[in-house]
Amino acid sequence: MERYESLGLVGEGSYGTVLKCRHRESGRLVAIKKFVDSDDDKTVKKIALREIKLLRQLRHDNLVNLLEVWKRRRRWYLVFEFVERTLLDDLEQNPTGLDLNTSRQILFQILRAAAFCHQQHIIHRDIKPENILISQCGVVKMCDFGFARTMTSPAEGGVYTDYVATRWYRAPELLVGDTKYGKAVDVWAFGCLLLEMLTGQPLFPGDSDLDQIYHIVRCFGNLTARHQELFYRNPGFSGVRLPEHSGRVPLDQRFPTIPPTALDLAQSCLHMDPERRAQCSELLEHPLFTQDAFHIRFVDELNAKIQKDH
Ligand SMILES: Oc1ccc(-c2ccc(-c3cc(Nc4ccc(CNC5CC5)cc4)n[nH]3)cc2)c(O)c1
């Protein structure tokens, strides 16, 4: 670490800390994830090695780049590129939301990143505003795969018992404790993010897992039969009734000013049944991006921004 000057904390992850640092010789800014001492703790060592293996698979213009990995005095260090700001910073600056064109430039790049991860059979599992980095030129880089998982079978999904995802962006299957979930959890989070960007407010700001389910049911109605069964079998919810979905407020009623195309895209992501949610690769072809040939024009613009960032 002596080659780097620490400039302060960027964030606290579950298995380590992320520091903003400057490389003393080159002046380059980086983000360094320092894992807790791993030699005594086999779990941390296993987590670190799994994260490193996964990160080395993920090279894409819209994913934050892993630059170096080293181990010193029983600790692993992951050195990443430092990117100027996060989507959370932008949302805090714009409490009523971002304009549609800015939003779709960011959304398109998030989908490119997520579609690439899913093609590699990797689920991010914690897509949220603070994990969406934005460079000075407007290039989006998804980060923090501390919770990411390789799906056990490329077909779809696997059996995962460890818990993940920041509550507000958590899909119904995660909230009821379904261990058989897949990349559709990232699509749900994307749908939540889309509406938050356009309104400036989190879509479902639950203050507990149960409250999170209530927010979702009040908007979309009952959980699927499978999720209801898992809910009532979940010891964390024993004795609790699922809310009646009377007094539902569907998205189009809640957001009458959102452009219908954007609302349609959100609804393609926010199906209660994970099987009905669109794939990220399909969403890149949604009319929000293909109307006025945005997706064709923007890719050229984006490549120029990426070159400028280098
Ligand atoms: O497994 C892992 C672990 C960690 C990372 C990771 C890699 C890179 C970063 C990162 C963050 C970053 N820039 C950044 C810029 C601004 C903020 C916060 N803005 C403050 C509130 C005003 C936070 C972060 N640049 N690079 C963060 C996390 C990762 O991508 C994968």
Side-chain angles (χ1 to χ4, degrees):
M1 275 298 278
E2 57 283 352
R3 288 182 294 141
Y4 293 94
E5 173 198 358
S6 171
L7 303 176
L9 199 60
V10 159
E12 279 294 335
S14 315
Y15 290 98
T17 314
V18 179
L19 296 170
K20 178 179 178 180
C21 297
R22 179 184 291 114
H23 188 258
R24 292 184 195 279
E25 202 176 307
S26 66
R28 180 176 191 177
L29 292 178
V30 294
I32 298 182
K33 176 167 181 178
K34 186 169 71 168
F35 281 82
V36 293
D37 189 331
S38 58
D39 281 9
D40 297 339
D41 185 335
K42 293 286 167 274
T43 311
V44 177
K45 189 170 182 176
K46 182 168 157 255
I47 297 267
L49 292 175
R50 179 171 65 189
E51 205 168 314
I52 292 163
K53 178 172 178 276
L54 183 144
L55 288 164
R56 282 188 164 140
Q57 277 180 259
L58 294 173
R59 292 256 179 253
H60 186 276
D61 286 335
N62 293 121
L63 293 179
V64 74
N65 211 356
L66 177 65
L67 303 172
E68 272 184 82
V69 177
W70 25 268
K71 188 178 178 188
R72 286 287 301 280
R73 296 199 198 98
R74 305 169 11 146
R75 280 177 185 266
W76 285 97
Y77 294 83
L78 307 185
V79 183
F80 296 89
E81 57 185 317
F82 183 83
V83 182
E84 187 195 54
R85 66 190 199 276
T86 68
L87 176 58
L88 180 62
D89 298 325
D90 284 9
L91 288 172
E92 285 170 351
Q93 299 287 320
N94 299 277
T96 57
L98 309 176
D99 67 73
L100 185 62
N101 203 46
T102 303
S103 298
R104 65 177 183 168
Q105 292 195 5
I106 295 170
L107 292 164
F108 189 76
Q109 296 179 75
I110 296 171
L111 282 174
R112 281 176 25 130
F116 175 78
C117 291
H118 294 173
Q119 276 159 6
Q120 311 295 316
H121 308 301
I122 288 169
I123 319 171
H124 184 286
R125 303 207 302 176
D126 199 17
I127 294 177
K128 57 184 178 181
E130 48 267 57
N131 282 346
I132 304 299
L133 305 175
I134 305 173
S135 77
Q136 221 154 13
C137 298
V139 178
V140 163
K141 301 248 180 197
M142 201 151 73
C143 78
D144 197 351
F145 294 80
F147 288 123
R149 282 298 172 277
T150 302
M151 291 187 283
T152 50
S153 59
E156 176 59 9
V159 178
Y160 309 106
T161 50
D162 47 345
Y163 208 87
V164 283
T166 304
R167 178 185 302 120
W168 293 355
Y169 308 89
R170 217 175 280 168
E173 57 269 32
L174 290 175
L175 290 164
V176 299
D178 195 346
T179 54
K180 278 184 171 301
Y181 58 85
K183 53 196 175 185
V185 301
D186 287 343
V187 177
W188 177 277
F190 175 82
C192 295
L193 215 48
L194 186 166
L195 290 172
E196 183 168 350
M197 287 170 67
L198 292 175
T199 64
Q201 296 307 312
L203 179 61
F204 299 132
D207 55 24
S208 70
D209 288 0
L210 185 61
D211 186 47
Q212 195 66 34
I213 291 172
Y214 282 1
H215 274 274
I216 293 169
V217 167
R218 267 200 297 274
C219 181
F220 297 115
N222 284 333
L223 295 172
T224 63
R226 174 184 168 84
H227 294 162
Q228 289 184 48
E229 192 190 332
L230 288 167
F231 176 87
Y232 286 114
R233 287 207 322 238
N234 187 323
F237 298 121
S238 67
V240 178
R241 299 281 316 144
L242 273 169
E244 285 309 312
H245 67 274
S246 53
R248 265 185 64 186
V249 182
L251 289 178
D252 55 347
Q253 252 177 278
R254 184 171 160 193
F255 303 115
T257 59
I258 296 265
T261 317
L263 207 54
D264 179 78
L265 175 53
Q267 279 161 335
S268 310
C269 304
L270 295 168
H271 286 291
M272 293 291 247
D273 180 354
E275 303 292 318
R276 295 189 58 205
R277 289 174 215 150
Q279 311 262 343
C280 290
S281 51
E282 294 163 352
L283 293 171
L284 283 165
E285 299 296 322
H286 186 275
L288 183 70
F289 304 115
T290 54
Q291 68 190 12
D292 67 343
F294 161 84
H295 64 315
I296 294 164
R297 287 183 288 111
F298 181 59
V299 168
D300 288 344
E301 245 181 79
L302 180 58
N303 288 332
K305 289 170 186 274
I306 289 163
Q307 293 315 315
K308 214 169 146 201
D309 264 351
H310 280 139

